[in-house]
Amino acid sequence: MTILPPAPRPCTFCPYKTEVPSGVWSEEDYAKLPQYDGPTWSQPPGLFQCHVHDRDADSARVCGGWAGCHDMEESLSVRLAQAFGEISPDTAQAIRDYVSPVPLFTSGAEAAAHGLRDIHNPGPDARRAMDKLRRTRSDLT
């Protein structure tokens, strides 16, 4: 599988974007975000992939919001992926250099707190987003 660098801008409903309504993603998805806030040694070893990019057998894309929110110089998953040849040196550098053109939360914890706030009672904007995502991703229920 080829792991692609982040898209030029985070996806429309990226959980790291400040403009995305609360409650769009699952509790499990939001729980992953703060895990990348800690020191390098305590972070998850896997790259955080885009929630919307078409995940086929041939490629996946690193999440732009994740790359823009967290300090990628201190990212355990980027270091491991490059060391094990899962990403090219160019992709690793693109992840480290990524700057989001849209506002992001300042941490995974902040993004998760926002996302979880309305998870049991999402508003109309969140419901529209979920409907659109269900049409885009057949694996969502």
Side-chain angles (χ1 to χ4, degrees), residues 35-48 62 66-67 70-83 87 92 95-96:
Q35 296 177 24
Y36 293 94
D37 289 343
T40 305
W41 58 266
S42 71
Q43 296 172 17
L47 294 168
F48 194 84
V62 169
W66 173 76
H70 300 284
D71 181 356
M72 292 293 111
E73 292 292 339
E74 299 300 323
S75 172
L76 176 64
S77 57
V78 172
R79 292 177 185 189
L80 290 175
Q82 185 175 1
I87 58 174
I95 295 168
R96 286 192 291 273

Side-chain angles (χ1 to χ4, degrees), residues 10-11 19 21-22 25 34 44-45 48 52-54 72 75 80 87 89 93-94 97-98 105 117 119 124 137 139 141:
C11 294
E19 65 188 35
S22 175
W25 298 101
F48 194 84
V52 179
H53 176 77
D54 186 19
M72 292 293 111
S75 172
L80 290 175
I87 58 174
Q93 193 60 50
D97 292 344
Y98 185 80
F105 289 103
R117 186 189 67 223
I119 198 145
R137 292 222 1 229
D139 61 317
T141 57

Side-chain angles (χ1 to χ4, degrees), residues 7-122:
R9 62 187 309 109
C11 294
T12 304
F13 302 115
C14 180
Y16 283 101
K17 287 174 57 176
T18 59
E19 65 188 35
V20 172
S22 175
V24 172
W25 298 101
S26 71
E27 289 182 57
E28 293 80 18
D29 283 322
Y30 289 121
K32 295 173 189 174
L33 309 183
Q35 296 177 24
Y36 293 94
D37 289 343
T40 305
W41 58 266
S42 71
Q43 296 172 17
L47 294 168
F48 194 84
Q49 296 177 11
C50 177
H51 282 78
V52 179
H53 176 77
D54 186 19
R55 297 174 191 192
D56 60 28
D58 296 329
S59 70
R61 184 176 290 284
V62 169
C63 172
W66 173 76
C69 175
H70 300 284
D71 181 356
M72 292 293 111
E73 292 292 339
E74 299 300 323
S75 172
L76 176 64
S77 57
V78 172
R79 292 177 185 189
L80 290 175
Q82 185 175 1
F84 291 117
E86 296 171 8
I87 58 174
S88 70
D90 288 343
T91 295
Q93 193 60 50
I95 295 168
R96 286 192 291 273
D97 292 344
Y98 185 80
V99 176
S100 174
V102 298
L104 302 175
F105 289 103
T106 60
S107 69
E110 187 180 22
H114 167 76
L116 290 168
R117 186 189 67 223
D118 298 334
I119 198 145
H120 297 295
N121 189 23

